[in-house]
């Protein structure tokens, strides 16, 4: 869709992904299995994108990716997909690099980069299915990584041995390994790791002027079930 104008009246989702981030996280000594500072930096960059592009009403991120959902009524850049993708990617990357020193103590060894794509969703059900898919992916990947690095860091296995141990395992198996061998309950892991980050606009009162203003809120909550959407019936319109 990048070379055409996105059809009016459908939701545009632009997803940015870290390019070569497996090596990038190793080269910059990210904490395994999760680096809270790095995730906070991703959220900061995403908030920067939403602040500059006000037609984005919701964003969902996990690991090295973020998905930005544009209003169906958006006329940004005449809905030229290529222009929108390049703007989101460059804005996200610039905020990521600019705010790096605030969240990460180690200097950048080389510039990070992100690629992007746009997908169109004309039906609310399909949009929600997409977001559910990304959050389910967050859970699956984080469960594996948490178990994997527990085996390495606390179990004394090599990365090759841990990979072999988990080969063909199911979610229940990983939960059992962590609980019986290490006393870890995966459900006690911070929600930011298990559920990712959902960013949306909300109304807040300015402490000085007492006037209402729009602010961005980062939540680590379930967006697969209906409750999140039922509590916000005007979010997807």
């Amino acid at each position: 869709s990048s070379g055409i104008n996105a059809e009016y009246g459908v939701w545009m989702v632009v997803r940015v992904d870290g390019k070569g981030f497996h090596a990038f996280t190793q080269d910059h000594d990210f904490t395994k299995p999760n680096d809270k500072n790095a995730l906070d930096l991703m959220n900061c960059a995403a908030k920067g994108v939403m602040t500059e592009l006000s037609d984005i009403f919701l964003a969902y991120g996990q690991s090295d990716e973020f998905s930005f959902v544009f209003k169906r009524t958006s006329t940004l850049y005449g809905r030229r997909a290529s222009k929108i993708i390049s703007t989101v990617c460059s804005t996200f990357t610039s905020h990521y690099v600019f705010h790096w020193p605030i969240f990460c103590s180690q200097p950048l060894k080389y510039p990070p980069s992100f690629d992007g794509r746009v997908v169109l969703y004309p039906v609310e059900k399909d949009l929600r299915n997409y977001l559910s898919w990304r959050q389910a992916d967050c859970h699956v990947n984080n469960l594996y990584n948490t178990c994997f690095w527990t085996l390495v860091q606390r179990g004394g296995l090599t990365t090759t041995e841990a990979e072999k141990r988990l080969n063909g395992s199911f979610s229940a198996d990983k939960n059992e390994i962590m609980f019986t061998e290490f006393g870890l309950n995966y459900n006690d892991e911070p929600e930011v790791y298990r559920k990712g980050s959902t960013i949306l606009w909300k109304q807040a009162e300015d402490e000085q002027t007492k006037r209402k203003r729009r602010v961005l809120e980062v939540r680590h909550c379930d967006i697969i079930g209906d409750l999140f959407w039922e509590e916000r019936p005007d979010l997807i319109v």
Side-chain angles (χ1 to χ4, degrees), residues 37-189:
N37 289 334
L39 293 174
D40 288 342
L41 174 57
M42 290 286 291
N43 291 341
C44 178
K47 290 170 70 174
V49 173
M50 294 183 71
T51 300
E52 295 192 34
L53 303 176
S54 59
D55 281 357
I56 300 171
F57 67 88
L58 181 143
Y60 175 78
Q62 51 114 350
S63 185
D64 65 343
E65 69 170 62
F66 244 101
S67 296
F68 298 94
V69 186
F70 285 78
K71 296 184 295 185
R72 289 193 295 179
T73 55
S74 174
T75 57
L76 181 67
Y77 302 134
R79 296 178 70 90
R80 282 181 292 154
S82 58
K83 180 81 170 178
I84 292 171
I85 293 171
S86 62
T87 300
V88 171
C89 276
S90 61
T91 304
F92 188 93
T93 304
S94 63
H95 277 276
Y96 190 92
V97 172
F98 183 81
H99 291 99
W100 174 273
I102 298 174
F103 295 92
C104 302
S105 58
Q106 182 180 154
L108 277 171
K109 295 181 177 179
Y110 52 85
S113 60
F114 296 83
D115 60 33
R117 72 209 71 182
V118 62
V119 184
L120 307 180
Y121 292 100
V123 181
E124 177 181 338
K125 178 182 176 181
D126 293 337
L127 175 60
R128 282 191 53 183
N129 283 343
Y130 167 81
L131 294 169
S132 296
W133 167 49
R134 299 321 304 147
Q135 187 166 69
D137 185 73
C138 173
H139 163 70
V140 170
N141 290 337
N142 188 65
L143 177 59
Y144 179 90
N145 289 333
T146 301
C147 189
F148 177 90
W149 285 106
T150 299
L151 289 170
V152 172
Q153 296 167 350
R154 296 183 57 178
L157 272 61
T158 66
T159 54
T160 301
E161 291 169 338
E163 184 177 357
K164 184 177 180 180
R165 175 81 186 276
L166 295 179
N167 184 38
S169 64
F170 296 98
S171 294
D173 301 321
K174 299 179 183 70
N175 278 301
E176 182 70 13
I177 290 172
M178 288 190 288
F179 186 74
T180 59
E181 298 184 25
F182 303 99
L184 295 178
N185 186 335
Y186 179 72
N187 290 327
D188 292 336
E189 287 292 300

